[in-house]
Amino acid sequence: MPDMDSRDRIKKAKRDWEEQKLEKLLAKRPERKDKFVTGSNAEVERLYTPVDVEQLDYLEDLGFPGEYPYTRGVQPTMYRGRLWTMRQYAGFATAEESNKRYKYLLEQGQTGLSVAFDLPTQIGYDSDHPLSEGEVGKVGVAIDSLKDMEILFDGIPLDKVSTSMTINAPAAVLLAMYIAVAEKQGVTSDKLNGTIQNDILKEYIARGTYIFPTKPSMRLITDIFEYCAKHVPKWNTISISGYHIREAGSTAAQEVAFTLADGIAYVQAAINAGLEVDEFAPRLSFFFNSHNDLLEEVAKFRAARRLWAKIMKERFKAKNPRSMMLRFHTQTGGSTLTAQQPDNNIVRVAIQTLAAVLGGTQSLHTNSRDEALALPSEESVRIALRTQQIVAYESGVAETVDPLAGSYYVEAMTDRIEREAAEYIAKIDELGGAPEAIDKGYIQKEIQDSAYRYQMEIESGKRVVVGVNKFQIEEEPPKGLLKVDPRVGEMQKAKLEELRRTRDNAKVNEELEKLKKAAAGDQNLMPYILDAVRQYATLGEICGVLREVFGEYKQSVVL
Amino acid sequence: MNLQERLAAGDVRALARLLTFAENNDPEAEEVIKNLYGRTGSAYVIGITGPPGAGKSTLTDKLVKTLRARGNTVGIIAVDPTSPFTGGAILGDRIRMQELFTDPGVFIRSMGTRGHLGGLSKATQAAVRLMDIFGKDYIFIETVGVGQSEVDIVKTADTVVMVMVPGLGDDIQAIKAGIMEIGDIFAINKADLDGADRTKIEIEMMLDLNENKAWRPPVCKVVAVENSGMDILLGHIQKHRMYLSESGELVKRRTRNISNELMDLVRDRVMEFITRESGRKLPVDDLVERIVAKDMDIYSAAEYIMEAINK
Amino acid sequence: MDKPIRVLVAKPGLDGHDRGAKVIARAFRDAGMEVIYTGLRQTPEQIVETAIQEDVEVVAMSILSGAHNHLFPIVVNMLRERGADDVLVVGGGVIPDDDIPGLKEAGVAEIFTPGTPTTKAIEFIKQNVKRR
């Protein structure tokens, strides 16, 4: 940005400052550390000046919000037009319990729903499957059939509320159930607003709730893209996720790189399946982490937007601007929260909220202070929601668009993260793309190495975690934690028995047979799944059929 | 019942405990093997080796399942490198064999190389014998064919399967000499990838240069992950087994292996003796100092030690 | 080097978060132990069978899904039934303090909650393991 002449003057002036003023000071009072780094271990200089961003071209690299390359945001007015959606992830025990929590959150001012499912549901098992023992309702709500889904959304108008469902391997089934519930409310699918996470690659990488091998999983995903483009046009068909990759221990640049690499794989798969990029790309969405290092996180979000825009335009030749916009949901970093002195977590989440908002997120989930201990109590989740509301209404950061733009530090970091991420993506391309790289264990190994380094830094004291390795206190175990009723498993089993007694089992079997044949062929499976769901086939039965045809994924581990 | 009796009776825990003793150089393992030596020699030993990432564990898993379907019992020894810096190891081969864990006809043991010169060979040999005595029809030894000691243990198998992957191409020339030579069968895994045919041709060309005309190692293509080609590979293994017994090679090989092993054991014991006696009867450190000070020459020192042993 | 402690690091149940298990496995290796890691979704049967065949001295289970009260005691009991009660069983993950006394009574020697340095787990194992 500065011209050659002023650039050289600044360089010289900085040198003079360092030699004349700094050296003497440093000799007397050295800095706190030898090396200063970001939360991701990237080196941080003492001072950034216009020289650090001399390559930056405002119009080309930053531009305007809502315009390519979207560095400053995907909408022209951002939060001045509409605040981000406050969408707290919730769900536990039974559909009845969760329904109550959803109504509570909506009353308290939440503006969208986010459903957490239990592990058996996420892995396609009914609550009475042997592997479901002890797991039913623990990390989310147990959904065995359409009946449960009806209870979950009882009294919640699906034409008015947008719902995000954190479901991946069996996403097609849960989406079908959602559509069927809406039908019963008299709401046609073209009115439905929401998201399914539906990102299997990151399951293989970092989250572990996979079912089927890669090829059939990609097929299910592209089937959903195709189906929704025609029938559920307002639905975000995938939430390409970096959150879990970061939680697994990656750096900020890796979070961007591996997420976008997964995105590239999905886009390519859809194109290979015969879809036009501009048909489905506008409905792709993303999901990122919001971590402790505020400024690095803001740079990360901006870098991700710019990089994705370039990828969609140059690599995939998208023409529709909406195909190039990286829209994302954010969740504050769960793994940064501590079991020690849990109230401190409220402060951490506030900082992470700022990062996400200054980074231009479209929706946000804030973690509760008891994150490291249990699922959130009602009080804790209310505080988490209030955190978002205070930032929105009291902090001033939502009054203008992309306020940190132009900061020498933030722009330099945005460039660095974009550059690093692009290098990783090139490496992954060399390996044959994200699915290949995952098979080879490359992505997982990078993440593990970062995670291990991070842990060792904490144990050596090099990295401070307040309350854990510094400023510790003697503590009483916390009170008032949420406890999931251990009888949930029994209750669900009873419901399943009842269901199997009252439904038309002949019709169920008929639909399952049809699904099996279609799965072995290459038809779009959504209509078949919908038919099965409407007859009250259970999730486990539907996934059981698919397991038979597709087989199961075998994990790749490189330690 | 003591460990020996329990082993003979088919107690899994006894086998596991004796394997631990064998690895730790505990004499109890030797005792038991000594007493039950007559029971050894009936298991057929298959070595699975190849570069990292070739899919050896997955291949082993599928071969074992095929053998199990035919009613055979199997022992698997999976060897992974021990860190030379910390002495620890991550033994992760089991990850690819999940369904075999609860199969009562399969016993899997993971071992670290533990960085002892020759120690790995000794431990593996004992492990094979224990599994043999236990009654396993087949014993698989699975290692990464990179280090010399891993190559050595695989050489003691009856049939060695070299697992390769396509694209290894130019690297075949660079592969450690000795590894290519020990392969009795070559399996190109992940054969659905580009370059599988080219790799096959390259391996065949390399084999053409070999003098041994009696057994020409077959080169087959498999996709372990899809369980494809396993029957054919097993067929080659059976053919090799037949060739070995019909040609008398099996006896020759096992004789040679035993001869090598005997000398290794003797060498071990001599070294153990010297280390144990060092300082007391055998002033090895003193001798070394004297050699450094040129007070004695190294050859005389060696003779001195030999005489001390003989006394 | 001669006789490293053998540890099984296991992920019981459906929980897919393996960051902790992998970090602890590496830490154990760096402390000189032989670590058998069997990946995700281990049933109690698989864990016990592995522990027996590998003759491990320690079983370390990591779980973040809340199913620990159900799964840990099953593993301990199965080990006992198979005569392997000399195995040291420890656990880690998202486990509320309230549940710890119950788990200890069921036979889990120690629970390492979030924020515990790996060195603490390593020390505990070294002090309490029953060597073969």
Side-chain angles (χ1 to χ4, degrees):
Chain A
M1 278 172 358
D3 61 68
M4 271 277 269
D5 199 35
S6 68
R7 195 222 315 159
D8 289 335
R9 278 191 290 129
I10 296 173
K11 271 195 183 150
K12 176 165 190 314
K14 185 174 176 202
R15 239 189 342 261
D16 289 343
W17 173 71
E18 282 165 354
E19 283 162 21
Q20 285 154 23
K21 302 272 174 54
L22 268 186
E23 258 184 54
K24 258 184 282 167
L25 176 64
L26 289 174
K28 261 192 296 174
R29 215 173 337 143
E31 288 180 324
R32 287 182 293 122
K33 299 182 265 195
D34 289 329
K35 197 164 166 230
F36 288 75
V37 293
T38 65
S40 298
N41 258 317
E43 182 145 16
V44 180
E45 299 296 331
R46 174 177 306 114
L47 191 74
Y48 289 78
T49 67
V51 175
D52 292 291
V53 293
E54 59 190 354
Q55 308 289 13
L56 201 65
D57 177 316
Y58 181 81
L59 289 174
E60 227 184 82
D61 300 322
L62 298 186
F64 296 95
E67 305 269 309
Y68 184 90
Y70 307 104
T71 317
R72 302 200 68 179
V74 295
Q75 288 117 2
T77 55
M78 286 304 290
Y79 306 131
R80 287 166 66 112
R82 202 182 55 172
L83 289 172
W84 63 92
T85 306
M86 301 185 189
R87 195 189 287 282
Q88 297 297 81
Y89 186 52
F92 50 92
T94 58
E96 287 88 349
E97 277 299 314
S98 303
N99 177 266
K100 258 196 263 174
R101 178 57 74 90
Y102 293 162
K103 288 182 167 142
Y104 174 74
L105 288 168
L106 288 169
E107 270 166 44
Q108 291 303 318
Q110 177 166 301
T111 41
L113 287 179
S114 175
V115 183
F117 298 97
D118 70 2
L119 283 175
T121 304
Q122 292 189 59
I123 299 181
Y125 291 127
D126 287 334
S127 302
D128 58 359
H129 190 278
L131 288 175
S132 303
E133 274 299 319
E135 313 257 18
V136 178
K138 288 271 164 50
V139 308
V141 66
I143 299 288
D144 289 325
S145 75
L146 179 59
K147 235 202 179 58
D148 288 323
M149 207 67 167
E150 287 162 10
I151 297 169
L152 189 65
F153 291 103
D154 179 55
I156 295 176
L158 296 188
D159 54 345
K160 302 239 173 39
V161 173
S162 84
T163 304
S164 171
M165 295 193 279
T166 298
I167 192 78
N168 293 277
V173 183
L174 276 303
L175 176 61
M177 287 185 187
Y178 191 84
I179 292 172
V181 170
E183 270 171 10
K184 294 197 187 224
Q185 285 184 3
V187 178
T188 49
S189 65
D190 57 323
K191 298 216 177 53
L192 295 177
N193 246 305
T195 307
I196 35 172
Q197 199 165 82
N198 196 25
D199 171 2
I200 198 64
L201 293 177
K202 67 97 173 48
E203 295 298 320
Y204 297 149
I205 295 171
R207 192 169 180 270
T209 66
Y210 43 76
I211 307 179
F212 317 110
T214 314
K215 274 204 218 80
S217 299
M218 297 299 261
R219 179 251 184 107
L220 279 168
I221 290 170
T222 52
D223 278 358
I224 292 173
F225 288 179
E226 192 184 44
Y227 185 84
C228 289
K230 293 199 194 87
H231 304 283
V232 203
K234 296 212 207 133
W235 196 262
N236 296 312
T237 50
I238 190 170
S239 184
I240 307 166
S241 306
Y243 175 79
H244 320 84
I245 289 172
R246 191 67 180 275
E247 288 294 279
S250 83
T251 63
Q254 288 170 339
E255 184 188 340
V256 175
F258 299 153
T259 308
L260 298 200
D262 286 348
I264 290 171
Y266 292 127
V267 173
Q268 194 59 60
I271 290 175
N272 294 346
L275 300 174
E276 281 299 316
V277 70
D278 287 321
E279 255 183 80
F280 64 89
R283 276 296 157 209
L284 303 177
S285 66
F286 290 79
F287 173 27
F288 288 113
N289 196 306
S290 187
H291 226 255
N292 279 334
D293 191 322
L294 174 79
L295 299 169
E296 185 179 47
E297 292 301 287
V298 174
K300 177 191 83 182
F301 296 125
R302 299 167 91 247
R305 272 197 298 270
R306 188 160 68 203
L307 186 53
W308 183 248
K310 289 182 187 168
I311 289 171
M312 288 309 284
K313 182 163 190 212
E314 292 161 20
R315 184 171 179 147
F316 291 111
K317 311 283 190 267
K319 297 281 179 312
N320 185 344
R322 303 193 61 79
S323 298
M324 308 180 223
M325 289 179 199
L326 185 146
R327 298 170 303 120
F328 65 100
H329 169 75
T330 305
Q331 178 167 337
T332 60
S335 61
T336 65
L337 304 186
T338 61
Q340 295 77 2
Q341 301 174 48
D343 282 346
N344 292 344
N345 293 328
I346 298 172
V347 180
R348 293 186 175 101
V349 171
I351 294 171
Q352 293 158 0
T353 301
L354 274 172
V357 171
L358 289 165
T361 190
Q362 276 56 59
S363 70
L364 178 64
H365 161 98
T366 36
N367 284 327
S368 304
R369 62 188 165 176
D370 38 12
E371 173 74 18
L373 303 163
L375 293 188
S377 64
E378 214 175 67
E379 187 185 324
S380 296
V381 82
R382 191 185 63 226
I383 296 174
L385 187 55
R386 296 287 178 261
T387 305
Q388 293 197 49
Q389 291 158 337
I390 291 169
V391 168
Y393 296 106
E394 297 182 17
S395 77
V397 300
E399 309 302 282
T400 184
V401 178
D402 191 31
L404 292 184
S407 151
Y408 309 123
Y409 180 41
V410 170
E411 295 298 355
M413 249 202 307
T414 305
D415 286 352
R416 174 190 54 84
I417 293 176
E418 185 191 345
R419 203 172 39 242
E420 266 182 53
E423 277 166 24
Y424 274 116
I425 291 177
K427 179 77 205 279
I428 291 170
D429 277 339
E430 257 175 62
L431 290 171
E436 273 308 311
I438 294 169
D439 259 349
K440 298 192 165 101
Y442 167 71
I443 295 178
Q444 299 92 306
K445 180 128 207 310
E446 286 291 313
I447 294 171
Q448 276 155 229
D449 287 348
S450 300
Y452 194 66
R453 216 177 302 132
Y454 189 82
Q455 182 65 21
M456 292 302 120
E457 283 169 6
I458 291 177
E459 294 193 12
S460 69
K462 200 159 151 229
R463 187 174 285 282
V464 174
V465 179
V466 173
V468 173
N469 65 0
K470 204 166 179 174
F471 310 117
Q472 299 105 312
I473 59 171
E474 279 297 316
E475 292 182 81
E476 283 297 313
K479 306 227 181 310
L481 297 177
L482 185 95
K483 276 202 155 32
V484 173
D485 189 340
R487 292 168 303 160
V488 175
E490 291 312 308
M491 294 195 278
Q492 283 299 114
K493 280 191 205 163
K495 275 199 219 165
L496 275 166
E497 274 177 40
E498 176 69 24
L499 181 79
R500 294 205 173 98
R501 234 196 330 260
T502 51
R503 66 183 186 179
D504 185 341
N505 286 300
K507 281 247 172 65
V508 170
N509 289 328
E510 212 187 293
E511 298 304 339
L512 290 176
E513 264 313 303
K514 284 199 217 145
L515 173 62
K516 193 167 175 190
K517 283 206 194 72
D522 58 4
Q523 298 97 299
N524 190 313
L525 293 179
M526 275 304 290
Y528 296 91
I529 295 174
L530 264 162
D531 286 340
V533 152
R534 288 187 186 111
Q535 297 303 327
Y536 295 93
T538 66
L539 174 72
E541 284 162 353
I542 295 173
C543 290
V545 163
L546 296 178
R547 276 182 149 100
E548 261 184 71
V549 178
F550 297 149
E552 283 185 334
Y553 179 74
K554 287 270 148 75
Q555 203 196 8
S556 241
V557 184
V558 175
L559 256 179
Chain B
M1 281 202 286
N2 61 31
L3 273 179
Q4 182 177 309
E5 288 160 349
R6 284 166 56 201
L7 179 74
D11 178 355
V12 168
R13 283 203 75 219
L15 173 57
R17 185 54 51 90
L18 284 165
L19 287 169
T20 304
F21 288 155
E23 271 199 287
N24 293 343
N25 217 2
D26 186 308
E28 177 148 12
E30 264 180 39
E31 269 307 302
V32 171
I33 296 175
K34 258 194 229 168
N35 296 340
L36 297 175
Y37 204 77
R39 291 207 192 191
T40 60
S42 52
Y44 194 74
V45 184
I46 300 172
I48 309 275
T49 191
K56 295 180 290 298
S57 297
T58 308
L59 186 82
T60 304
D61 174 68
K62 298 293 190 281
L63 279 176
V64 170
K65 282 177 177 146
T66 314
L67 285 170
R68 285 292 295 141
R70 301 179 188 184
N72 299 291
T73 58
V74 182
I76 302 170
I77 299 168
V79 183
D80 272 318
T82 297
S83 160
F85 308 113
T86 68
I90 303 231
L91 310 176
D93 291 316
R94 269 182 174 261
I95 292 175
R96 305 272 194 280
M97 307 186 202
Q98 304 279 339
E99 295 93 22
L100 296 177
F101 294 7
T102 48
D103 181 341
V106 179
F107 187 104
I108 305 172
R109 182 67 174 224
S110 312
M111 288 175 49
T113 53
R114 288 195 187 178
H116 265 170
L117 286 161
L120 177 66
S121 243
K122 199 165 147 201
T124 317
Q125 292 293 60
V128 169
R129 292 212 171 88
L130 286 166
M131 289 186 178
D132 194 355
I133 293 169
F134 189 76
K136 294 303 187 190
D137 300 322
Y138 288 88
I139 299 171
F140 284 79
I141 306 176
E142 192 214 309
T143 80
V144 177
V146 198
Q148 193 54 49
S149 50
E150 290 124 312
V151 175
D152 287 341
I153 48 172
V154 140
K155 270 155 86 163
T156 63
D158 298 319
T159 298
V160 177
V161 178
M162 270 287 303
V163 187
M164 319 280 289
V165 267
L168 215 53
D170 311 321
D171 303 329
I172 288 182
Q173 309 307 323
I175 284 181
K176 233 188 185 119
I179 296 187
M180 288 303 279
E181 282 160 26
I182 60 171
D184 297 310
I185 299 168
F186 288 81
I188 301 175
N189 193 19
K190 309 192 190 184
D192 50 344
L193 296 179
D194 274 339
D197 288 317
R198 211 176 332 125
T199 304
K200 185 168 193 287
I201 292 173
E202 275 157 359
I203 297 176
E204 302 271 17
M205 279 187 350
M206 251 212 55
L207 293 171
D208 284 338
L209 302 171
N210 196 329
E211 275 97 59
N212 179 11
K213 300 297 176 209
W215 172 262
R216 163 64 180 228
V219 184
C220 60
K221 293 193 289 186
V222 302
V223 185
V225 150
E226 288 168 16
N227 205 17
S228 152
M230 295 302 119
D231 287 312
I232 296 180
L233 178 54
L234 218 44
H236 287 310
I237 294 174
Q238 312 292 32
K239 256 188 242 141
H240 186 243
R241 184 175 187 174
M242 262 195 307
Y243 154 73
L244 287 178
S245 58
E246 281 166 14
S247 66
E249 260 304 304
L250 185 63
V251 173
K252 256 196 244 160
R253 254 190 203 201
R254 288 190 175 178
T255 306
R256 190 188 58 225
N257 286 337
I258 286 176
S259 166
N260 290 337
E261 200 195 334
L262 177 61
M263 292 322 296
D264 284 341
L265 278 172
V266 168
R267 214 172 288 129
D268 252 12
R269 272 164 220 231
V270 170
M271 286 316 296
E272 266 167 43
F273 175 83
I274 293 177
T275 318
R276 210 171 41 238
E277 300 303 321
S278 175
R280 289 200 310 144
K281 281 200 238 153
L282 266 179
V284 176
D285 289 337
D286 284 350
L287 290 171
V288 170
E289 272 180 40
R290 287 179 63 186
I291 299 168
V292 169
K294 298 234 172 114
D295 185 40
M296 190 184 212
D297 74 87
I298 200 165
Y299 301 103
S300 306
E303 279 159 25
Y304 182 98
I305 293 178
M306 286 313 298
E307 276 160 37
I309 296 178
N310 277 323
K311 280 200 205 111
Chain C
M1 261 282 196
D2 286 16
K3 300 183 191 189
I5 300 174
R6 281 169 72 87
V7 185
L8 168 60
V9 171
K11 290 285 306 169
L14 302 179
D15 170 28
H17 299 97
D18 53 8
R19 173 179 180 169
K22 288 178 176 175
V23 165
I24 204 80
R26 274 175 84 155
F28 285 166
R29 180 205 51 200
D30 289 350
M33 304 184 197
E34 269 175 5
V35 181
I36 289 125
Y37 178 62
T38 45
L40 297 176
R41 298 201 202 164
Q42 298 298 294
T43 61
E45 288 78 13
Q46 284 176 306
I47 293 174
V48 171
E49 215 39 66
T50 301
I52 302 249
Q53 290 180 16
E54 302 285 358
D55 202 22
V56 299
E57 293 153 292
V58 185
V59 170
M61 293 185 281
S62 156
I63 194 165
L64 286 78
S65 64
H68 49 274
N69 285 330
H70 177 77
L71 292 170
F72 283 11
I74 295 182
V75 171
V76 174
N77 288 334
M78 269 194 200
L79 283 169
R80 284 196 186 133
E81 276 164 33
R82 297 288 298 273
D85 28 10
D86 51 351
V87 174
L88 183 72
V89 179
V90 297
V94 176
I95 296 169
D97 286 339
D98 279 354
D99 292 347
I100 295 180
L103 291 171
K104 284 190 169 166
E105 249 206 69
V108 181
E110 189 56 272
I111 297 282
F112 302 104
T113 48
T116 309
T118 56
T119 43
K120 198 143 172 260
I122 291 167
E123 264 322 294
F124 182 86
I125 287 176
K126 288 191 173 157
Q127 311 281 20
N128 292 281
V129 70
K130 294 202 190 71
R131 304 288 348 244
R132 300 261 177 276

